[in-house]
Amino acid sequence: MASTNDPFQFQEFEEAGNLLEANRDAVTISIEEDNIKPDKQRKAAGFTPDGDDEDPLASDDKTELLSGPNKSVPFWTFEYYQRFFDIETHHVKERIIGSVLPWPGKNFVHVHLRRNPDLYGPFWICTTLVFAIAISGNISNFLVHLGKPNYKYTPEFRKVTIAATAIFSYAWFVPLALWGLLLWRNNKIMNLVSYSFMEIVCVYGYSLAIYIPAVVLWIIPYEWLRWCSIVVAVCLSGSVLVMTFWPAVRDDHPKVIIAILSAIAVLNILLAVGCKAYFFSKPEAVLPADSSAATGLTKAPSST
Amino acid sequence: MAAAEEASRPFAGLSDVSISEDIPVEGDISVPVGPSTRRDEEFSTLDEPVKETILRDLRAVGNKFIHVLYPKRSTALLRDWDLWGPLLLCVTLALLLQGGAADSDDQGGPQFAEVFVIIWFGSIIITLNSKLLGGTISFFQSLCVLGYCILPLTVAMAVCRIVLVGGSGTVSFAVRLVVVTASFGWSTFASTAFLTDSQPAERKALVVYPVFLFYFVIGWMILTFSPSQ
C-alpha cells in the first residue's frame, strides 16, 4: 500500500525474496511474480538500499558452499592443502603404474587424475628418488673402489643436498615454466585442453617414479647395463610426458609444438644423464694395470 | 468433609510427584574451586626437592621407553606425550655419530646439526603428511611417537660403535648390518603400532611408507658410520 519508492519504508519479507530472484536469476523459486515490477522500478530509479544487498550475498555464499568441491578456501589455510591429499592407497598405486607403463590411448591426466591431482605422490616420489640416488651413488662408488688399498670409505652426505636441489627444482620449476608457457599459448590459440598447475606438477612427479628402480640398477658397475636402463627409463617417462601434453599443444603452430615437446624430452634426458654422471663414477677397468706398471717403473730406478 | 476432600482431590496427584516435602532439596551453590586434590599437588611441587622433580620426569620418560621396547596397543605414549625423550635420543644419536670420517674432510658423514635437522624436520614432515591425510592424532603426539621410536636405532648405534672397536672388517660389517636391520624393523613396527590407529583403513599404507623411509635413512646413517683411522 505504501509507495515502494520510499527507501525508509519497512520491507515485507516476500519482497526480499523477490529481490533475490530479480538480482540473479538463480536457484530461488518465484512464488509471487506481481511484486517484481515495483522492484524493477526501484532499481531503475537508481537507488538500491544497502540492507537488501546483504541478502543476495548471504545466499550467494551459502549456495557456493553447498555446491560441493568448488569451495574457494584461501591458500594460507590448512584445509586448502588437505584437498590435495584426498586419495587412497589404491589410487596412488594406479597412478604409479599408469606413469610407468604408458599406453598410447590413455592420457595420464584424464584417466588417472580425473580432476583430483594430489601432492602426496609427487612429494614422496621425489624424496624417495633423492635418497635412492644418494645411497645408490654411495654404494656404487664403494663397489668401484673396493679393491684399492688407499681408498677410505666416506658416506658423502653432502650429495643428498645436491640431489635434493636438483630433483625438487626439476619437479617444481619445470612444471611452473610449462604451465606459464601453456597459459600464454592459450591466450593466442583456443586449445581444447588446458591443465591446471597442480595437474602438471602431479604428472611430472609421477613420471619420476620409473627412475627409482633405474637408479637402484645403476649400483651394478657395468656401463652397458647403466646405459640400457637409462634409455628405457627416459623412453618410458618421456613418452608419458609427451603423450600427456600432446592434447594441450596439438592445435598450435607446428614449430611451437615441436619446440615444447622437445624441450620436455630434453630436460628429462638432461636430468637422467646428469644424475648418472655426477653421482655414479665410471668403473675404471684400465687403471689397476696402469698403476701397477707405474709402480714397477718407479721401483726399478730406486733399486739401482 | 466432602468439600475438604474435593478441595484436596485436585492436589491428590501431587503426592506421586517428586516435588514433595519429604525429599529435601540440598546442594551447594557456591562456585566450585576445582578438583581439590590436584590443586594440592600442583601447589606443593614448588616445595619438593629438585631430585624429586627430575626423577618424576625421568620415570615418565623411562616408562615410555619400555612401551616402545615392548610395543603393545596402549595409549601411554599418546596420552601423556612429552618431547624430553626424543630430545635425549636425538642428542645421544648425534653424539654417537660424531668422531667418524667426517671430522677430517668435507665429504664425510653427517655433522651434529645435520642429524638434528634430519630427525626433527623428518618427524615434522611425516606428522604434516599424516595430518593432511586426515589423521586424528595431534601434532605433538605424533612428534612424540616418532621421536621415542628412535630408541631401537640408538641402541643399535651404541652396539655398532662397540663392534667397531673390535675391527672394521667384513665380519663386523655383517654383524652391524644384522643389528641395524633388526632395529630398523623394530622402530618401524613400534611406531606404526601407535600411529596407524588414527588413520582410516584405506590410507594406512600411505602413512606407513614415509615412516619406513625416515627410519631407513637413519639406519643408513648408522650403518655407514666409519671410524676415523
Side-chain angles (χ1 to χ4, degrees), chain B residues 6-194:
Chain B
E6 269 185 64
S8 66
R9 215 180 293 133
F11 301 109
L14 279 180
S15 61
D16 306 331
V17 181
S18 58
I19 317 171
S20 49
E21 300 87 28
D22 49 345
I23 298 177
V25 175
E26 63 182 23
D28 202 340
I29 51 175
S30 61
V31 177
V33 186
S36 50
T37 47
R38 283 269 302 268
R39 275 298 172 97
D40 286 342
E41 270 185 26
E42 286 181 28
F43 281 150
S44 68
T45 56
L46 273 178
D47 297 331
E48 68 179 10
V50 174
K51 185 182 80 165
E52 187 60 40
T53 314
I54 294 180
L55 277 182
R56 184 172 54 234
D57 278 332
L58 279 180
R59 254 182 254 128
V61 168
N63 185 33
K64 293 201 192 63
F65 279 169
I66 295 179
H67 276 283
V68 168
L69 288 178
Y70 301 107
K72 40 184 195 299
R73 306 244 145 195
S74 78
T75 54
L77 248 76
L78 294 180
R79 213 178 34 227
D80 315 310
W81 60 266
D82 72 89
L83 292 178
W84 283 116
L87 182 67
L88 213 61
L89 287 172
C90 187
V91 168
T92 312
L93 187 61
L95 282 176
L96 285 175
L97 277 169
Q98 292 304 295
D103 295 340
S104 46
D105 61 342
D106 215 13
Q107 293 273 332
Q111 304 294 320
F112 186 87
E114 284 175 353
V115 177
F116 246 78
V117 162
I118 288 180
I119 291 181
W120 287 100
F121 269 104
S123 304
I124 289 175
I125 289 179
I126 294 177
T127 306
L128 274 179
N129 177 63
S130 94
K131 284 190 79 67
L132 280 169
L133 281 170
T136 53
I137 201 172
S138 92
F139 183 75
F140 286 109
Q141 278 173 346
S142 172
L143 281 185
C144 169
V145 168
L146 287 169
Y148 269 104
C149 290
I150 296 183
L151 176 67
L153 283 166
T154 311
V155 168
M157 181 70 211
V159 168
C160 282
R161 281 211 85 154
I162 295 175
V163 167
L164 275 172
V165 167
S168 57
T170 319
V171 172
S172 97
F173 177 73
V175 169
R176 281 185 291 144
L177 182 65
V178 166
V179 167
V180 170
T181 312
S183 62
F184 153 71
W186 199 345
S187 286
T188 312
F189 174 68
S191 63
T192 55
F194 292 113

Side-chain angles (χ1 to χ4, degrees), chain A residues 264-277:
Chain A
I264 293 176
V266 161
L267 281 171
N268 201 17
I269 296 175
L270 267 181
L271 178 80
V273 173
C275 282
K276 178 188 173 304

Side-chain angles (χ1 to χ4, degrees), chain A residues 1-285:
Chain A
M1 250 144 57
S3 139
T4 47
N5 283 333
D6 187 5
F8 299 108
Q9 182 58 40
F10 178 70
Q11 307 282 342
E12 294 292 335
F13 201 69
E14 299 86 4
E15 285 183 12
N18 286 326
L19 175 64
L20 209 114
E21 189 220 327
N23 256 344
R24 340 161 328 266
D25 21 70
V27 205
T28 57
I29 303 171
S30 67
I31 303 169
E32 294 146 343
E33 303 204 40
D34 47 353
N35 281 347
I36 294 178
K37 248 194 260 179
D39 290 339
K40 283 194 177 155
Q41 278 177 5
R42 209 174 28 195
K43 279 202 177 343
F47 183 82
T48 50
D50 278 349
D52 286 331
D53 277 348
E54 285 174 19
D55 270 330
L57 282 176
S59 55
D60 203 335
D61 280 334
K62 204 166 36 158
T63 48
E64 213 172 53
L65 278 175
L66 291 174
S67 69
N70 297 332
K71 310 188 268 284
S72 53
V73 188
F75 66 90
W76 55 82
T77 58
F78 192 71
E79 285 74 26
Y80 179 79
Y81 296 101
Q82 226 165 2
R83 238 176 358 148
F84 299 118
F85 281 79
D86 192 16
I87 47 162
E88 298 170 7
T89 312
H90 66 93
H91 288 151
V92 174
K93 264 194 245 166
E94 284 164 17
R95 290 177 188 190
I96 291 179
I97 293 178
S99 74
V100 167
L101 303 170
W103 206 249
K106 292 185 182 177
N107 185 335
F108 185 77
V109 175
H110 291 149
V111 172
H112 289 105
L113 291 190
R114 282 195 198 149
R115 298 259 157 252
N116 189 21
D118 70 297
L119 276 181
Y120 177 90
F123 180 75
W124 287 110
I125 290 178
C126 289
T127 314
T128 311
L129 188 60
V130 163
F131 286 115
I133 286 185
I135 292 178
S136 307
N138 201 237
I139 296 181
S140 92
N141 279 342
F142 173 71
L143 285 179
V144 161
H145 294 129
L146 191 49
K148 301 190 184 158
N150 54 351
Y151 174 70
K152 196 173 69 145
Y153 170 73
T154 56
E156 288 174 337
F157 268 94
R158 292 284 177 271
K159 296 205 165 172
V160 174
T161 327
I162 300 172
T165 315
I167 304 258
F168 275 99
S169 38
Y170 175 78
W172 283 91
F173 289 130
V174 174
L176 188 66
L178 194 59
W179 174 70
L181 190 67
L182 288 177
L183 211 63
W184 172 59
R185 294 310 298 175
N186 235 350
N187 282 338
K188 304 218 164 163
I189 297 162
M190 282 312 295
N191 288 327
L192 299 166
V193 174
S194 67
Y195 298 131
S196 71
F197 174 60
M198 281 301 168
E199 286 171 346
I200 301 183
V201 166
C202 206
V203 171
Y204 262 86
Y206 278 104
S207 75
L208 289 175
I210 181 68
Y211 286 116
I212 297 174
V215 160
V216 172
L217 264 184
W218 293 349
I219 295 178
I220 306 174
Y222 293 120
E223 274 304 296
W224 60 268
L225 181 65
R226 287 182 181 178
W227 281 109
C228 272
S229 58
I230 272 197
V231 164
V232 168
V234 162
C235 282
L236 284 176
S237 109
S239 62
V240 166
L241 289 174
V242 163
M243 278 198 293
T244 305
F245 288 106
W246 171 250
V249 294
R250 70 176 158 215
D251 301 325
D252 213 339
H253 195 69
K255 283 192 186 165
V256 176
I257 297 181
I258 294 180
I260 293 182
L261 291 180
S262 57
I264 293 176
V266 161
L267 281 171
N268 201 17
I269 296 175
L270 267 181
L271 178 80
V273 173
C275 282
K276 178 188 173 304
Y278 185 71
F279 293 102
F280 295 84
S281 56
K282 289 194 192 323
E284 301 147 349

